Amino acid sequence: MKFQHYLFLFLCLLFLTNPTWARKKKILVLHSYHQGLNWTDNITRGMQSIFEQHDNLEVQFEYMDSKRNSDPAYLVEFAKLYELKHHNIPFEVIIASDNNALEFARKYQNTYFKNIPVVFASIDQFDESLIEGMTNVTGVTEFIDFKRTIQEALRLHPKAKNLVVINDNQTTSAIINRNHIKSFWPEIETDVNLIFLENLSIGELVDKVKELDDSNIILLLNFSKDKEGNYISYQENIEIIREATQLPIYSSWVFYLDEGIVGGMLTSGFEQGKLAAQIAFRVINGEDINKIPLVTTGYNSLMFDYNQMQRFGIRPDQLPEGSTIIHLPLTFFEKNKTYLLLTFVFLLLIVLIVVYARYIRKRNENRLLAINKELKVNRTRLLRMLDSNSDGVWEHNFKTERLTFSKQIWLNLGYDPDRVKNTLEFVYAHTHPDDQAKVEGQRLDYLKGKTETFEVVFRLCNAKQEWKWYKGKGKILDRDDDNAPINMVGTLTDITQRKLAEEQIQEDAKQIKASEKRWRSLIEQAADEILIHDFSGKIIDANSSACQRLGYSHKDLLEMNYADLDSKYTNQNLEQYWNTLSPHKNSINVESIQKRHDGSTFPVEMNLSLIDLEEDQLILAVIRDISKRQATERKVLNAVIETEENERKRFAKDLHDSIGPLLSSINLYLSALKQTEDKEKKESIIKVSREFVNEALVSIKEISNNLSPHILSDFGLEKAIDSFAQKLRISEQINISFHAENLNERLNEQVEVVIYRVVTELIHNTIKHAKAENIEINLSREDDELKLIYIDDGIGFDIRKLESEKSNGMGLYNILSRVRSLNGTHKIKSNPVNGGMMAVLMVKVESKEKL
């Protein structure tokens, strides 16, 4: 029994002292974004570099995917999913990566993370308010040094006139970064203009970037989501910008390095993840998290791409001290270290061979003298034969290490043969540095028996300091008794013209391939159908949009005739259109109806262009689906008709209700005037009739003013809106605040009428439907853009029902149709739960004096 007791105690002690038997400590890493995003993956790798060093850790990763899914309803569902997956798991520490994860941890700390330490990482523009109310929290703040990046970019490009900042202004981090740059910009002493490209679609961004000239440099912040809500990865947005411009691009994130940016003060997600993991490990080991200070440094460094620096003439010595440069070329010693070592070994071997050869030569001197005499005769004969069949001959004597070129070679290079030195060093000094190792390597391979002949292509410098291409061939002419080489002879042929021709062919082929790639990329990325066919209609090529829209595979389309896809025109009709194309008229527009593989049809607009090739002529058809456009035009037309009809009804009602009774009264008094002879009574009737006439004139004036307010035509848009608001304020039922800015010049009449009608209709809708107490109207002009911001605090509505709205009067749909008639843009936000409505309308305008 004692033995069993001691054994049990021993096993318990062993279990407690052996950490591999103990329970692994659990860590949860909560990422704001999705797996596969460069930034998130870099943070993960940084954390793993620390966690992989310890066997007693179990790390779980959870991805909120909030960059692609930012809807509040999704985040509520994510919280439910978190509760199902991780609630009640005894995590030792939670690591929250990026702002959205920290916000999630703060919101649900008392629900899911109570008493669990929270370590955050990569918190953009950290502020104490981000952890307000949290306990047991510390971490790594992300202070991106945009200012240093901008300063270095402006210093390296002193001729720049504009700094163009590309930012989506859609995501939270994008808005924070934009405001941060605007805050410190006045501190930068420069005349360079700060320009933001934001709130754009992908296509608009590409067009804007392509318009930039050489006076611009680009700072890429974040373009993860365009104004249409499309998500773009970091890899995609740098590729889009890189392909759209040749301008220098700077940024502040490491994952853009080696993707086309010059560089900057770059923030490393790997380092931030590493620092956060180190803090988490300290907490797991028992250190009080509340005593661990925030980490604010250690992840920013100046980094540049040498390949991009070369494009813009930036030398390494222009960079700040301590900068990291990728793709920096190796020095000559680093590049040729192996070859130099082999050369040294080879020369040492030569020395040993020479020492040994001298010993052998003593023994065989008499015999070699006779052989040497015969060899000289044969060598001379051979050299003359070789010289007559090339640009010159050369000879390398291994005994004396003398390398002799024939006079013809030096004459072709423009040197005086009597002044040159026939040594290996002299020849190598005139050999291109990039070719020296290659020449030596080929010579060694031949001497070692790896090749049957010595053959090499290299460059020699002529007297005009120009590099000439030569092709050298050679063989060992004679050997000694020990089979060691004595002499090697060969020819040298000038192949400069042939080499230049080959390089030109390669460059032309490269440009053709690049051009084909760009062309294919453009047509594949196009949203419209693109078809290329000949004048008989046979389809030669089609892009992905055509395949998807028509329901055919690419292979099927290439076996079809375009007439098979058109349900409006016959092949004969189409050929009549095609035959109108010529070098003088190389583009026409045609509307037609296409049919899909499933038999359904849809209206299209075709732009037909002539592709004039040397050997043939083809037709490029760019085809756009105009179903939505036609539907919109029908809606606009119906809205206009409905509006005009309502205006007629209202006008008729006003005339009937206001003017009719007055005229009837006047007619009654005139009848009474005819029936009385009393002078005093007649004067009384006439007086009353005049009053009714004056009242009728006032009513007519009021009706006329409602049709087209005189104050709008006489005093302009600002006075008209202010007058309309003043009349409504008198009722004291609703408070209207109106502010105008930069409206000193009159706008053209159409713009003023449309904006006035839009404002009055918006107010009418608010009063009629929203039950609001306050309305705020802001109207401003900046350059050639008029911006209207309309806000009320009434009940909200569902934006998704906007297109189907058919209320009395114009309705919101008709209001927006008015804005679109001016090629304007609009954005409306409302919340059925919280209430309120905000409309932002923007219209391109010109002054009335410029029309």
Side-chain angles (χ1 to χ4, degrees):
M1 292 296 294
K2 290 185 178 180
F3 173 78
Q4 294 176 345
H5 180 68
Y6 288 138
L7 179 61
F8 176 77
L9 292 177
F10 172 77
L11 291 175
C12 291
L13 182 61
L14 183 62
F15 177 84
L16 293 174
T17 57
N18 190 340
T20 60
W21 292 3
R23 179 181 63 86
K24 290 189 175 183
K25 297 184 178 181
K26 299 180 182 296
I27 300 174
L28 174 66
V29 178
L30 182 62
H31 280 299
S32 295
Y33 308 133
H34 57 278
Q35 188 176 17
L37 187 69
N38 295 14
W39 176 253
T40 300
D41 290 348
N42 286 339
I43 293 175
T44 297
R45 283 193 289 270
M47 293 180 181
Q48 292 285 42
S49 69
I50 299 299
F51 295 146
E52 289 173 352
Q53 301 175 20
H54 308 283
D55 297 329
N56 64 332
L57 301 179
E58 179 181 334
V59 184
Q60 297 185 38
F61 291 87
E62 187 63 60
Y63 298 89
M64 294 178 64
D65 199 14
S66 62
K67 185 171 287 293
R68 298 183 297 192
N69 300 281
S70 57
D71 189 83
Y74 164 79
L75 296 178
V76 171
E77 293 300 320
F78 176 82
K80 296 178 181 178
L81 177 63
Y82 178 88
E83 183 174 17
L84 289 174
K85 292 178 64 176
H86 304 296
H87 192 42
N88 294 328
I89 296 178
F91 291 116
E92 301 286 342
V93 66
I94 305 293
I95 301 180
S97 167
D98 286 292
N99 294 58
N100 291 340
L102 178 59
E103 174 60 23
F104 182 90
R106 186 168 76 94
K107 184 175 181 180
Y108 294 102
Q109 185 177 38
N110 291 331
T111 305
Y112 303 137
F113 314 121
K114 194 168 185 179
N115 300 324
I116 301 177
V118 176
V119 177
F120 56 77
S122 183
I123 304 304
D124 192 12
Q125 304 301 322
F126 176 79
D127 185 83
E128 290 291 339
S129 62
L130 297 178
I131 57 173
E132 185 177 353
M134 295 185 71
T135 58
N136 298 327
V137 60
T138 189
V140 182
T141 65
E142 182 185 80
F143 290 101
I144 303 174
D145 198 347
F146 293 115
K147 185 175 183 181
R148 183 64 186 275
T149 298
I150 292 173
Q151 288 174 331
E152 293 302 328
L154 297 178
R155 184 179 64 81
L156 294 173
H157 302 274
K159 295 183 180 180
K161 296 181 180 179
N162 302 305
L163 175 66
V164 180
V165 181
I166 296 178
N167 192 40
D168 58 34
N169 205 31
Q170 299 289 326
T171 59
T172 302
S173 59
I175 296 172
I176 292 173
N177 294 337
R178 177 187 191 274
N179 295 335
H180 179 54
I181 291 176
K182 281 192 170 184
S183 68
F184 69 69
W185 180 257
E187 302 173 9
I188 300 178
E189 299 179 0
T190 180
D191 296 326
V192 173
N193 298 315
L194 179 64
I195 300 173
F196 281 88
L197 293 184
E198 53 191 9
N199 290 327
L200 301 172
S201 66
I202 299 173
E204 290 171 347
L205 174 65
V206 171
D207 292 339
K208 291 286 187 181
V209 172
K210 285 183 177 179
E211 293 173 359
L212 299 176
D213 58 23
D214 294 341
S215 65
N216 296 272
I217 55 177
I218 295 175
L219 175 63
L220 174 58
L221 294 187
N222 191 352
F223 200 80
S224 299
K225 185 181 291 185
D226 70 359
K227 74 174 185 180
E228 297 173 353
N230 297 314
Y231 168 75
I232 309 104
S233 68
Y234 296 135
Q235 181 69 24
E236 286 177 314
N237 64 53
I238 184 62
E239 287 179 357
I240 289 170
I241 297 168
R242 184 182 64 208
E243 292 177 4
T245 183
Q246 296 296 319
L247 296 175
I249 305 172
Y250 288 81
S251 188
S252 293
W253 286 277
V254 167
F255 51 75
Y256 282 135
L257 194 65
D258 201 21
E259 294 293 338
I261 68 168
V262 179
M265 179 63 81
L266 304 185
T267 295
S268 170
F270 179 91
E271 294 298 331
Q272 293 190 44
K274 186 176 178 181
L275 292 169
Q278 290 172 344
I279 295 175
F281 190 72
R282 290 167 62 186
V283 173
I284 288 175
N285 284 341
E287 192 169 348
D288 186 356
I289 190 172
N290 297 302
K291 295 182 180 180
I292 300 176
L294 297 178
V295 177
T296 60
T297 60
Y299 44 79
N300 289 338
S301 61
L302 288 167
M303 302 181 72
F304 299 87
D305 188 336
Y306 182 81
N307 293 335
Q308 298 299 321
M309 291 167 57
Q310 279 194 312
R311 288 181 56 209
F312 303 106
I314 302 173
R315 303 186 310 275
D317 60 0
Q318 292 179 269
L319 301 181
E321 185 176 353
S323 298
T324 301
I325 305 175
I326 66 170
H327 299 146
L328 189 65
L330 299 175
T331 64
F332 175 79
F333 178 77
E334 292 171 335
K335 189 186 302 181
N336 301 283
K337 181 167 59 177
T338 302
Y339 296 111
L340 292 173
L341 181 60
L342 289 175
T343 302
F344 174 76
V345 172
F346 176 75
L347 292 175
L348 181 60
L349 182 61
I350 293 290
V351 171
L352 295 176
I353 291 173
V354 170
V355 171
Y356 181 72
R358 287 179 179 179
Y359 168 76
I360 298 299
R361 186 179 60 187
K362 282 289 185 179
R363 190 180 61 180
N364 301 304
E365 186 174 359
N366 293 331
R367 185 169 59 87
L368 289 176
L369 286 173
I371 294 174
N372 189 49
K373 183 177 181 180
E374 184 180 356
L375 286 175
K376 283 183 178 180
V377 174
N378 294 333
R379 183 177 63 83
T380 302
R381 183 167 60 249
L382 177 61
L383 291 177
R384 288 175 180 175
M385 291 173 61
L386 293 174
D387 202 9
S388 63
N389 289 282
S390 65
D391 293 332
V393 296
W394 52 270
E395 178 184 7
H396 181 197
N397 188 301
F398 290 94
K399 303 298 182 182
T400 63
E401 285 301 318
R402 182 180 177 85
L403 180 62
T404 305
F405 279 8
S406 65
K407 291 184 178 181
Q408 189 61 41
I409 296 175
W410 294 117
L411 290 173
N412 290 343
L413 290 170
Y415 295 105
D416 185 352
D418 297 328
R419 294 188 178 183
V420 298
K421 298 178 181 179
N422 286 311
T423 63
L424 192 64
E425 291 77 10
F426 184 81
V427 174
Y428 271 16
H430 288 74
T431 301
H432 197 285
D434 294 344
D435 299 336
Q436 292 176 5
K438 179 172 62 175
V439 173
E440 185 63 22
Q442 292 289 347
R443 190 172 76 97
L444 289 174
D445 287 346
Y446 172 62
L447 292 176
K448 293 177 180 179
K450 294 182 179 180
T451 58
E452 294 183 358
T453 60
F454 169 72
E455 186 172 336
V456 67
V457 175
F458 65 105
R459 286 162 287 184
L460 286 172
C461 184
N462 66 11
K464 296 181 180 179
Q465 300 301 308
E466 299 171 338
W467 293 106
K468 296 291 185 179
W469 284 96
Y470 280 87
K471 183 174 184 179
K473 289 185 176 182
K475 272 197 169 186
I476 295 175
L477 182 62
D478 47 43
R479 297 175 180 271
D480 59 19
D481 293 340
D482 297 321
N483 203 35
I486 298 175
N487 288 294
M488 184 166 68
V489 297
T491 61
L492 205 61
T493 305
D494 188 343
I495 60 168
T496 302
Q497 295 302 321
R498 189 185 78 186
K499 194 71 175 177
L500 293 176
E502 291 174 352
E503 291 177 351
Q504 185 61 46
I505 291 172
Q506 293 176 356
E507 181 62 27
D508 292 345
K510 183 178 179 181
Q511 291 181 1
I512 291 172
K513 186 175 181 180
S515 178
E516 291 177 350
K517 185 177 180 181
R518 287 194 298 271
W519 165 252
R520 174 52 60 185
S521 176
L522 285 173
I523 68 171
E524 286 302 323
Q525 292 179 9
D528 296 333
E529 295 178 42
I530 297 179
L531 298 174
I532 300 175
H533 59 81
D534 59 19
F535 275 77
S536 68
K538 178 174 173 52
I539 298 176
I540 309 299
D541 199 358
N543 68 344
S544 299
S545 294
C547 297
Q548 295 171 3
R549 189 168 295 165
L550 295 171
Y552 292 97
S553 67
H554 186 265
K555 180 181 178 181
D556 290 340
L557 284 176
L558 298 189
E559 296 175 353
M560 298 175 67
N561 188 290
Y562 180 77
D564 300 333
L565 304 173
D566 199 294
S567 64
K568 180 177 181 180
Y569 298 110
T570 64
N571 191 51
Q572 185 177 1
N573 297 139
L574 291 169
E575 287 184 357
Q576 290 177 354
Y577 282 116
W578 299 337
N579 291 330
T580 60
L581 293 171
S582 67
H584 303 291
K585 184 181 180 182
N586 59 6
S587 178
I588 60 173
N589 288 319
V590 180
E591 288 193 4
S592 184
I593 299 175
Q594 276 192 339
K595 55 185 175 183
R596 301 183 179 91
H597 184 265
D598 60 7
S600 61
T601 62
F602 59 99
V604 296
E605 180 183 67
M606 299 186 295
N607 178 266
L608 305 178
S609 302
L610 179 66
I611 303 177
D612 196 356
L613 306 176
E614 292 183 0
E615 68 280 1
D616 198 3
Q617 287 185 329
L618 299 175
I619 295 173
L620 172 67
V622 180
I623 304 164
R624 177 167 296 173
D625 185 347
I626 59 173
S627 303
K628 291 184 179 180
R629 190 184 76 187
Q630 289 184 351
T632 301
E633 290 173 351
R634 286 194 295 271
K635 287 182 180 179
V636 172
L637 179 60
N638 292 336
V640 171
I641 293 172
E642 183 181 353
T643 301
E644 290 177 349
E645 185 62 27
N646 288 336
E647 284 296 307
R648 291 190 185 98
K649 290 179 180 178
R650 187 180 63 80
F651 182 53
K653 184 176 183 301
D654 288 346
L655 288 175
H656 179 272
D657 295 345
S658 300
I659 307 302
L662 294 175
L663 293 178
S664 297
S665 299
I666 293 171
N667 183 52
L668 180 65
Y669 277 106
L670 290 176
S671 298
L673 181 65
K674 182 179 179 180
Q675 296 174 2
T676 185
E677 295 295 333
D678 188 346
K679 182 177 180 181
E680 185 176 336
K681 192 174 183 179
K682 283 184 176 181
E683 289 179 355
S684 176
I685 291 172
I686 292 172
K687 180 180 179 182
V688 173
S689 297
R690 285 177 177 174
E691 291 177 354
F692 276 114
V693 170
N694 289 333
E695 187 175 349
L697 290 174
V698 171
S699 296
I700 291 173
K701 184 176 181 181
E702 289 178 351
I703 294 172
S704 174
N705 190 58
N706 286 333
L707 291 175
S708 179
H710 296 297
I711 191 169
L712 177 63
S713 59
D714 295 340
F715 299 100
L717 181 61
E718 181 180 352
K719 294 292 184 182
I721 295 176
D722 187 58
S723 174
F724 186 81
Q726 287 287 357
K727 293 177 181 178
L728 294 176
R729 291 192 191 103
I730 296 175
S731 67
E732 297 183 353
Q733 295 180 356
I734 191 166
N735 178 37
I736 301 179
S737 172
F738 172 60
H739 304 282
E741 186 177 351
N742 295 332
L743 292 179
N744 299 327
E745 296 182 359
R746 290 292 301 275
L747 308 175
N748 71 70
E749 183 177 351
Q750 182 184 4
V751 172
E752 289 188 339
V753 170
V754 169
I755 297 301
Y756 178 79
R757 294 301 184 198
V758 166
V759 171
T760 57
E761 188 64 25
L762 285 171
I763 295 174
H764 172 73
N765 285 347
T766 297
I767 295 173
K768 185 176 181 181
H769 303 293
K771 302 178 182 179
E773 296 181 356
N774 298 282
I775 296 175
E776 181 180 346
I777 305 171
N778 293 281
L779 188 64
S780 62
R781 177 180 178 181
E782 186 174 346
D783 297 330
D784 61 344
E785 184 174 76
L786 184 67
K787 185 174 184 180
L788 171 66
I789 301 177
Y790 180 93
I791 303 172
D792 70 39
D793 59 358
I795 61 176
F797 57 90
D798 191 346
I799 297 296
R800 291 174 294 183
K801 297 181 180 178
L802 178 62
E803 299 221 349
S804 61
E805 181 183 344
K806 296 293 181 182
S807 60
N808 293 329
M810 288 182 63
L812 283 176
Y813 177 80
N814 295 334
I815 291 174
L816 302 182
S817 297
R818 288 182 181 272
V819 176
R820 285 194 291 270
S821 70
L822 299 176
N823 291 325
T825 60
H826 60 80
K827 191 170 185 181
I828 297 179
K829 292 184 177 180
S830 183
N831 191 315
V833 178
N834 299 328
M837 189 272 283
M838 181 176 73
V840 181
L841 311 175
M842 288 182 285
V843 177
K844 297 290 184 180
V845 298
E846 291 185 359
S847 300
K848 192 171 183 181
E849 291 76 4
K850 296 181 180 179
L851 298 177

